[in-house]
Structures are given as C-alpha cells and as structure tokens.
Amino acid sequence: MSRRLLFLLPLMTLALMTGFFAWSLLAGRDPASIGSVMIGRPAPRLDLPALTPGEPPLGDAMLRTGKPVLVNFFASWCAPCLAEHPLFMRLRDREGATIIGVAWKNKREDAIQWLKRLGDPFKAAGLDLDGKTGLDWGLSGVPETYAIDGNGIVRLHFRGPITERDLNDSILPFLKGTK
C-alpha cells in the first residue's frame, strides 16, 4: 500500500500544479490591473536633462503647477509607445493637456528624430538614459503614464499603452477635475 502511495504522490502533485497553473492562466486576471504604490503619494523627484539640447531641464516645479499633468515614459524603440502616440497628440491638441515626456533608456538623437517624425505632444521632455528616474517612479517598462494632480500627487498610473477607453474613462475626467 505504501509503495502504491509513493508512486501516486508525484502524480497527484503534478495534477495539483497543473490545475493551479491552468486556473492562473484562465482566470481572466489582467496583470496591468495590479495597483501602483505610487497612487496617492507625491510624485518622485524629477530632475533630468532636457531631451533637446538648449532647453531647460525637467524639474519638480513642472509637477506642481496647480493644474493636472501627465508624465509619459516612452522610447523610440518601443512599439506600444508608437501605438499610444496619436492619443497624446490628440490630448495636447484638443484638450490642451500638459504632458511631460521622459525618454527612457533611449539615445538622445533617436528620441528627437522619433518626435520630429511623429509630432511632439510634450510641453517638456527629458532624457533618462541610465533609467534611474524610471526606477524611482516604479517603472516596469515603457510605455507607462502617470497622472499627477496640481499639488504633485500621483492620482492615476497606466502600465502599458493608454487606450481610447483609458482616455475616455479615466484621463479626460481626471484632466477636467471630475475624477
């Protein structure tokens, strides 16, 4: 009897693990829905050189203007960044949104050329070449966007590219002060 149990124990363990993994994959949970520890806290320090030489550096004062600000971490090599870019152009043009860009782990010239080709939605853009600022902000990759209220508090965080739904359901109400 104990030999038979010894033989069945690995099979039962394998069946249990298979069931757990199947449940994890099929449960319909969205990894992007994981909450951010940044929500409700002051935005981390922003002190970066300007993306475009000769422009003023990015600083904390840009996050505490009394008006909402979006901070978008992007890169020219990032395909999802390309997908969300038209939405940022629309936010700037139609809504007058203040958007600050941070070129994350991107070569300066590549990021500048990318913005020249696609249009520049950013009021100001900085260069986070070594990625340290991204780490301070809790960045897990690009693109990521943070909505900062006029007092410099992080109110919304979007991992991955923003979508039309994000724009209509969260970002526009936030910018208009209803969220």
Side-chain angles (χ1 to χ4, degrees):
M1 178 73 170
S2 67
R3 283 184 183 222
R4 197 177 270 172
L5 185 60
L6 193 60
F7 176 73
L8 290 177
L9 188 62
L11 290 176
M12 291 184 337
T13 303
L14 181 61
L16 184 65
M17 288 177 59
T18 302
F20 175 74
F21 288 128
W23 173 78
S24 295
L25 289 172
L26 301 174
R29 294 179 296 154
D30 180 12
S33 68
I34 297 170
S36 173
V37 298
M38 303 302 297
I39 304 295
R41 294 185 176 178
R45 190 165 186 260
L46 191 61
D47 183 18
L48 290 170
L51 179 61
T52 306
E55 295 287 321
L58 293 187
D60 284 337
M62 294 179 173
L63 304 177
R64 290 164 185 80
T65 62
K67 296 181 181 177
V69 175
L70 299 175
V71 177
N72 176 248
F73 285 81
F74 73 98
S76 64
W77 45 262
C78 164
C81 297
L82 182 63
E84 74 176 0
H85 193 80
L87 295 175
F88 285 117
M89 292 298 292
R90 185 170 11 146
L91 273 171
R92 182 202 68 189
D93 294 341
R94 292 186 190 164
E95 304 299 327
T98 300
I99 309 167
I100 295 173
V102 178
W104 184 72
K105 294 187 176 185
N106 206 171
K107 293 179 183 172
R108 182 185 302 269
E109 281 306 312
D110 292 348
I112 290 171
Q113 289 304 316
W114 192 76
L115 290 173
K116 280 183 182 176
R117 189 179 77 232
L118 299 173
D120 187 351
F122 305 121
K123 180 176 182 170
L127 183 62
D128 185 17
L129 195 55
D130 60 8
K132 287 181 181 176
T133 298
L135 286 175
D136 292 344
W137 282 69
L139 196 70
S140 60
V142 286
E144 285 194 29
T145 303
Y146 298 83
I148 316 297
D149 71 13
N151 297 315
I153 306 297
V154 177
R155 296 299 176 191
L156 300 170
H157 177 205
F158 300 91
R159 284 188 175 93
I162 62 167
T163 63
E164 193 76 37
R165 175 184 242 166
D166 296 329
L167 194 71
N168 293 324
D169 293 352
S170 301
I171 295 173
L172 288 174
F174 168 76
L175 292 174
K176 293 177 180 174
T178 59
K179 186 137 190 161

